[in-house]
Amino acid sequence: MQPLPWTNFAPPFSHGAYMNIPSMGEIIPRLAETHTVYALEFQGHGRTTDIDRPITYPNLADDVAAFMDAVDLGRADVLGYSMGGSAGVQLAIRHPEKVGRLAVISGASFSASGFQPEFLEMIPMMSPEMFVGSPMEEAYRELAADPEGFPALVEKLIALEHEPLEWRDEVEALDLPVLIVAGDSDVVTAEHSVEFFRLLGGGIMGDMGTPLPDVRLAILPASSHTSVINQPDLLMALIGPFLRDETPAGFM
């Protein structure tokens, strides 16, 4: 079994934005029961200090690649949640030689048009003041080397929401096994998750003698963006077989 770099990006396995390793809940320790897990905290998150650089998905992907080089991890299975999932997609685009299998949890988007309309309407109104006194700020203060640095982090993460997100061609060119997991009430629409799945070759008719493509899609019922990561039993039932390359047997 290949080692797994797991980032804490809202939700890294790369974790999600505003998150850290503890806020990812039980999924990391559950994975660690059967895998070697590298839990990473992104720039400005958790115990990782901020630097004078924007937070962008290419920058985060390059950071993960640099970490893998530093620990002599040539190739690994990569899992990421939310922002961490998008960083995982960029890692596969920018450093394909480093990624064996890629699981993207609530972060499989190749275009901003795939976000829910309510989220797109909220982006222009986002401000650091909205996060004052929030659970995200409390979690930040518990671990950060600079407890007063939260507003600066928020400004960078708001700027990230304004970054261009048009990766269709790059995603379509990916050539590796991918697991896409999303909630049916996620920040990315279910239709966009299906489109992402089909871009990678998914959605063919099975039981016709043609091997299934190396891409899988799971839509969790009654699940919002933040509740997806709080279902470790269900996630493990999906992630475990994917990492083991197990495919359910039919009778045809």
Side-chain angles (χ1 to χ4, degrees):
M1 198 73 67
Q2 292 176 320
L4 168 72
W6 194 276
T7 56
N8 189 37
F9 181 73
F13 310 83
S14 300
H15 61 85
Y18 306 98
M19 299 178 73
N20 51 44
I21 291 169
S23 63
M24 289 296 291
E26 291 301 313
I27 189 64
I28 293 175
R30 288 286 299 276
L31 277 166
E33 294 174 3
T34 52
H35 296 74
T36 299
V37 178
Y38 292 84
L40 312 182
E41 289 176 330
F42 285 133
Q43 173 188 341
H45 289 74
R47 286 144 287 209
T48 301
T49 55
D50 201 0
I51 57 176
D52 185 14
R53 185 192 70 171
I55 293 177
T56 68
Y57 294 119
N59 282 346
L60 296 175
D62 290 349
D63 287 346
V64 176
F67 168 82
M68 294 176 68
D69 288 341
V71 298
D72 197 24
L73 187 61
R75 184 180 176 93
D77 297 331
V78 176
L79 293 87
Y81 165 73
S82 186
M83 180 181 77
S86 295
V89 173
Q90 275 295 313
L91 181 67
I93 291 170
R94 297 170 67 83
H95 306 277
E97 74 286 353
K98 292 189 173 299
V99 185
R101 292 175 172 271
L102 174 65
V104 185
I105 317 299
S106 291
S109 177
F110 58 83
S111 172
S113 64
F115 292 127
Q116 297 280 6
E118 296 90 338
F119 182 70
L120 293 173
E121 292 170 4
M122 183 179 70
I123 290 174
M125 299 182 289
M126 295 177 73
S127 69
E129 290 72 26
M130 293 173 59
F131 295 84
V132 173
S134 67
M136 289 85 86
E137 182 179 27
E138 294 176 9
Y140 175 90
R141 288 179 174 275
E142 288 179 4
L143 297 180
D146 176 15
E148 303 305 318
F150 186 69
L153 174 64
V154 174
E155 289 182 359
K156 290 186 177 184
L157 291 175
I158 291 175
L160 176 64
E161 302 295 355
H162 292 270
E163 284 285 313
L165 179 59
E166 293 297 335
W167 306 341
R168 173 185 286 272
D169 292 344
E170 292 88 342
V171 167
E172 191 171 17
L174 290 176
D175 183 20
L176 78 167
V178 178
L179 168 65
I180 301 162
V181 180
D184 59 1
S185 299
D186 215 315
V187 68
V188 173
T189 66
E191 293 82 358
H192 192 71
S193 295
V194 171
E195 191 174 0
F196 198 111
F197 176 60
R198 291 190 180 279
L199 269 186
L200 295 172
I204 70 167
M205 172 69 188
D207 296 326
M208 300 295 288
T210 302
L212 295 179
D214 273 339
V215 56
R216 307 180 185 202
L217 171 66
I219 304 293
L220 307 191
S223 297
S224 68
H225 185 66
T226 57
S227 72
V228 167
I229 204 65
N230 291 326
Q231 303 178 67
D233 290 339
L234 188 51
L235 289 176
M236 286 301 299
L238 300 169
I239 295 169
F242 172 66
L243 295 181
R244 295 189 297 269
D245 193 25
E246 295 177 355
T247 303
F251 62 86
M252 297 291 290

